[in-house]
């Protein structure tokens, strides 16, 4: 505990201060823990957790891991493990090794700030043999001016007895009446010792030796600064490969453990995220993980694969508070890389089972008994697929703040709780914070977004049984033809091999081959003068439909392209209405225009206007945000026999302007015998 005041000149004076400080510590601990009891450890044989506070540093040591934090800023300056004095990059300044950070701006000013949230006050929250929790805070007031983020920040760090790692979480608060604020990104970043950590692991099939920052600096920058061709790497086996941090992005639902393994000694450093409740954008929102430079990230939200409007937007004095985390930084060791990775996965599973944790001391983090549960079943009604109600198999079902259908994919301010249904459509969501939500769903194989039309109220300890829910997806008539699979992704379409000399060897013959660099230019290689033509009933979308509708590179000038879908219609209903469903998996500075049979008409039948800024094409994604359009066609616009739909991506000038299609379907007029 911090002690201030003038040095005492007598032994009696020192004794009085010591006794007073002892009782003050007991009193503070009692008040803090009045409603929050520290769980007792069963690690009887392990060393007690020890806290040491000096003028500029805070050390927390449990005999396995020693965490060193700067005081009062709360920057992570040291992590000692297994005889390694510091697994972080000691050559960096103490403020640049491990830190929370945000990107923010004041809308009326416009200037954007990268802010490492250096705090101004320090406090001990808990200090027992089983647990130490410390807090670093900064408080905003108007006198601080426009260059300080108008948020109250409380960064917490926890070390438990017998646990090989440490936890961190933070509470961001914007009080009512405070200035307008945009927060575009929030995360924790770790810069590991680059001379030690060379092997990165993201998943079972995404592991490799990585280049260093020095390798990237010596390399050739490609179309943007994150993408570098390694020309003079320290490891000659990496020469000629492309490195780009976006190649290692991952969807929230799969992004629960990633990190690095050092070779000598063989130890692992892992970022474990046990819950997605504090992340933004839902279960399939992609984001960064670990990347070159021995960097590991815990991303809470960012505009990656969503666009610059994705973020926390606070206006008109809106109050807001959110707890991010806790996340767990785990350290382990083993005889092989695989053994260390398997142990990290096992630890991730154990952390997930313990959620919500029972040890964070903040009253803003509700424990299990203060949360609720919801259960039910989701069914699909589409009479053109089945006369019976169908179970929504493997559907993503979630609770998120109230909004419109699909709004969860752009929701950042609140908490989200998701699960997947079983083969019969049943679902249970546990550990839900008390609040009012909407229930949303997305069903693989079915277009559109489901939203339950009644608010869901979760109270502490409640068990909501919502019963059977029925989703009526967009449908006008029977399917005449379809291209793709309605799953919010372009993964089923043709993804080419990268150009020679622009390869990341990890993704050769990989299921995620779309992670290769420069695939946007492969369209020009395949279609140098004429655009894609797809014939329904003849073409195969996995071979003949390019995964991204992009521009053609003509002498370094990117020009719009027009794809054609050829299809036959028999017995055209002249008075009937046909419906074209156009689902997009991604859009970036794009404008899709549609003509039927007459591409020379002055005005297209339909245009999206300019949409999207998710940049998924450039960032090696296979989807960004989801879009769904329904276009009605009069029977008079079709002809008996062969018809042609023209799809034009009308915005040129950039290799990255374009869309990824999720699914396209033409429906005929309604038919009475389907009732």
């Amino acid at each position: 505990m911090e002690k201030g005041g003038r040095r005492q000149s007598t032994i009696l004076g020192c004794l009085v201060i010591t006794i007073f400080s002892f009782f003050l510590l007991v009193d503070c601990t009692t008040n803090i823990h009045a409603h929050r009891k520290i769980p007792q450890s069963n690690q009887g044989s392990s060393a007690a957790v020890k806290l040491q506070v000096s003028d500029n540093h805070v050390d927390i040591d449990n005999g396995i891991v020693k965490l060193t934090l700067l005081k009062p800023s709360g920057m992570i300056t040291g992590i000692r493990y297994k005889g390694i004095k510091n697994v972080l990059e000691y050559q960096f300044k103490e403020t640049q090794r491990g830190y929370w950070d945000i990107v923010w701006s004041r809308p009326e000013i416009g200037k954007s700030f990268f802010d490492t949230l250096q705090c101004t006050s320090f406090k001990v929250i808990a200090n027992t043999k089983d647990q130490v929790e410390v807090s670093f805070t900064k408080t905003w007031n108007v006198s601080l001016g426009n260059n300080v983020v108008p948020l109250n920040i409380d960064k917490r760090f926890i070390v438990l007895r017998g646990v090989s790692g440490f936890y961190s979480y933070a509470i961001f608060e914007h009080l009512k009446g405070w200035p307008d604020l945009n927060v575009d990104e929030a995360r924790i970043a770790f810069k590991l010792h680059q001379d030690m950590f060379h092997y990165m692991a993201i998943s079972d099939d995404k592991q490799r030796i990585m280049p260093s920052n020095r390798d990237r600096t010596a390399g050739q920058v490609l179309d943007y600064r994150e993408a570098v061709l390694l020309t003079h790497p320290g490891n000659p086996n990496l020469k000629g490969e492309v490195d780009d941090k976006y190649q290692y992005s991952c969807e929230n639902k799969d992004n629960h453990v990633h990190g690095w393994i050092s070779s000598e000694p063989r130890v692992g450093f892992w970022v474990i995220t046990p819950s997605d409740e504090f992340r933004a954008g839902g279960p399939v929102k992609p984001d960064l993980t670990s990347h070159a430079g021995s960097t590991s990230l815990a991303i809470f939200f960012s505009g990656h694969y969503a666009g610059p409007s994705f973020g926390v937007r606070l206006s008109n004095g809106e109050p807001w508070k959110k707890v991010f985390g806790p996340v767990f930084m785990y350290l382990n060791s083993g005889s092989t890389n695989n053994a260390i990775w398997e142990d990290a996965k096992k630890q991730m599973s154990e952390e997930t089972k313990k959620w919500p944790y029972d040890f964070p001391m903040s009253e803003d983090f509700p424990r299990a008994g203060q949360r609720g549960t919801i259960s039910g079943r989701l069914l699909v009604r589409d009479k053109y697929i089945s006369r019976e109600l169908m179970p929504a198999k493997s559907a993503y079902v979630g609770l998120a703040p109230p909004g419109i259908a699909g709004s969860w994919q752009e929701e950042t301010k609140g908490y989200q709780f998701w699960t997947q249904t079983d083969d019969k459509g049943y679902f249970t969501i546990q550990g839900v914070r008390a609040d009012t939500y909407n229930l949303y769903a997305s069903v693989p194989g079915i277009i559109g977004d489901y939203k339950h039309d009644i608010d869901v109220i979760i109270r502490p300890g409640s068990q909501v049984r919502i019963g059977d829910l029925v989703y009526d997806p967009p449908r006008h008539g029977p399917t005449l033809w379809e291209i793709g699979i309605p799953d919010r992704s372009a993964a089923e379409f043709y993804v080419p091999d990268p150009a020679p000399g622009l390869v990341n060897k990890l993704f050769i013959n990989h299921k995620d081959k779309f992670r290769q660099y420069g695939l946007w230019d492969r369209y020009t290689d395949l279609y140098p003068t004429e655009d894609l033509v797809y014939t329904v009933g003849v073409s195969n979308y996995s071979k003949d439909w390019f995964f991204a509708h992009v521009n053609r590179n003509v002498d370094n000038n990117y020009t719009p392209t027009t794809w054609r879908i050829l299809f036959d219609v028999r017995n055209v209903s002249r008075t009937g209405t046909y419906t074209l469903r156009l689902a997009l998996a991604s859009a970036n500075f794009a404008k899709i225009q549609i003509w039927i049979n007459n591409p020379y008409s002055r005005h297209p039948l339909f245009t999206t206007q300019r949409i999207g800024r998710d940049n998924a094409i450039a960032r090696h994604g296979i989807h960004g945000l989801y879009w769904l359009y329904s276009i009605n066609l009069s029977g008079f616009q079709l002809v008996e026999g062969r018809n042609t739909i023209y799809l034009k991506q009308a915005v040129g000038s950039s290799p990255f302007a374009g869309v990824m299609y999720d699914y396209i379907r033409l429906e005929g007029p309604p038919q009475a015998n389907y009732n």
Side-chain angles (χ1 to χ4, degrees), residues 391-430:
K393 299 180 180 180
S394 301
Y396 291 103
V397 178
L399 296 178
I404 63 174
S407 60
W408 53 268
Q409 70 172 344
E410 297 182 84
E411 210 292 318
T412 58
K413 294 179 184 176
Y415 302 93
Q416 300 195 29
F417 303 86
W418 290 85
T419 190
Q420 278 190 279
T421 59
D422 64 17
D423 287 345
K424 295 182 180 180
Y426 288 100
F427 64 88
T428 298
I429 306 175
Q430 299 177 326

Side-chain angles (χ1 to χ4, degrees), residues 284-585:
V284 296
K285 166 68 167 66
D287 223 315
L288 298 174
T289 56
S290 291
H291 59 78
S294 305
T295 298
S296 279
L297 304 173
I299 298 278
F300 302 109
F301 63 89
S302 81
H304 301 140
Y305 306 95
S309 64
F310 186 92
V312 174
R313 303 290 180 259
L314 303 171
S315 59
N316 300 317
E318 178 184 358
W320 174 71
K321 180 188 280 190
K322 188 170 182 178
V323 178
F324 295 96
V327 294
F328 181 43
M329 276 52 71
Y330 178 58
L331 292 98
N332 64 352
S333 60
S335 58
T336 66
N337 288 352
N338 185 64
I340 294 174
W341 166 246
E342 290 297 324
D343 176 72
K345 289 196 301 178
K346 179 181 177 182
Q347 187 66 38
M348 179 270 291
S349 179
E350 293 176 0
E351 297 296 324
T352 301
K353 291 175 183 176
K354 290 187 290 186
W355 189 269
Y357 292 139
D358 62 357
F359 51 81
M361 300 307 296
S362 172
E363 295 289 347
D364 292 312
F365 183 81
R367 296 183 178 178
Q370 299 169 292
R371 297 172 178 240
T373 298
I374 185 170
S375 60
R377 180 170 64 157
L378 182 63
L379 304 168
V380 176
R381 179 165 48 211
D382 187 334
K383 64 183 180 181
Y384 292 103
I385 297 177
S386 172
R387 296 183 184 275
E388 306 294 330
L389 290 175
M390 301 173 289
K393 299 180 180 180
S394 301
Y396 291 103
V397 178
L399 296 178
I404 63 174
S407 60
W408 53 268
Q409 70 172 344
E410 297 182 84
E411 210 292 318
T412 58
K413 294 179 184 176
Y415 302 93
Q416 300 195 29
F417 303 86
W418 290 85
T419 190
Q420 278 190 279
T421 59
D422 64 17
D423 287 345
K424 295 182 180 180
Y426 288 100
F427 64 88
T428 298
I429 306 175
Q430 299 177 326
V432 182
R433 286 170 165 261
D435 208 339
T436 299
Y437 301 91
N438 283 159
L439 187 144
Y440 304 92
S442 172
V443 186
I446 303 294
I447 63 172
D449 279 285
Y450 171 78
K451 175 196 165 186
H452 187 44
D453 56 5
I454 300 174
D455 287 351
V456 175
I457 300 174
I458 301 293
R459 295 183 173 88
S462 67
Q463 295 187 6
V464 177
R465 294 178 176 86
I466 204 166
D468 288 351
L469 307 173
V470 179
Y471 175 38
D472 292 291
R475 172 68 78 171
H476 181 71
T479 299
L480 301 185
W481 52 260
E482 58 188 351
I483 300 173
I485 301 170
D487 60 0
R488 310 174 83 94
S489 166
E492 69 269 27
F493 298 127
Y494 176 72
V495 178
D497 292 328
L502 294 176
V503 175
N504 182 321
K505 293 178 182 177
L506 175 63
F507 296 105
I508 296 175
N509 299 321
H510 195 283
K511 65 179 179 62
D512 290 352
K513 63 185 298 187
F514 58 83
R515 295 292 183 191
Q516 296 281 12
Y517 174 84
L519 299 185
W520 49 86
D521 279 335
R522 298 298 279 159
Y523 178 80
T524 301
D525 297 335
L526 292 169
Y527 302 94
T529 57
E530 300 292 330
D531 282 320
L532 182 150
V533 178
Y534 187 93
T535 303
V536 172
V538 177
S539 301
N540 182 329
Y541 62 72
S542 66
K543 297 179 181 179
D544 303 316
W545 189 271
F546 199 77
F547 80 103
H549 192 165
V550 291
N551 293 317
R552 177 181 290 107
N553 185 354
V554 181
D555 298 326
N556 292 321
N557 180 30
Y558 286 88
T559 61
T561 55
T562 302
W563 293 7
R564 287 179 287 164
I565 302 173
L566 310 181
F567 62 99
D568 294 331
V569 179
R570 305 298 178 192
N571 302 316
V572 174
S573 173
R574 296 296 178 191
T575 60
T577 298
Y578 295 75
T579 304
L580 182 67
R581 308 287 183 186
L582 185 71
L584 305 180

Side-chain angles (χ1 to χ4, degrees), residues 108 158 163 179 216 226 245 263 278 324 342 351 365 520:
E108 71 276 16
I158 302 171
V163 174
R216 286 179 51 83
E226 292 90 349
K245 66 182 181 180
S263 53
F278 43 79
F324 295 96
E342 290 297 324
E351 297 296 324
F365 183 81
W520 49 86

Side-chain angles (χ1 to χ4, degrees), residues 226-267:
E226 292 90 349
V228 171
L229 181 65
L230 303 174
T231 56
H232 299 87
N235 182 343
N237 293 326
L238 301 179
K239 186 175 182 179
E241 288 200 63
V242 172
D243 177 73
D244 183 345
K245 66 182 181 180
Y246 294 110
Q247 293 178 316
Y248 305 104
S249 297
C250 186
E251 293 178 350
N252 283 344
K253 65 182 176 62
D254 301 318
N255 184 6
H256 291 145
V257 58
H258 61 86
W260 294 81
I261 301 173
S262 67
S263 53
E264 185 59 42
R266 199 180 297 273
V267 301

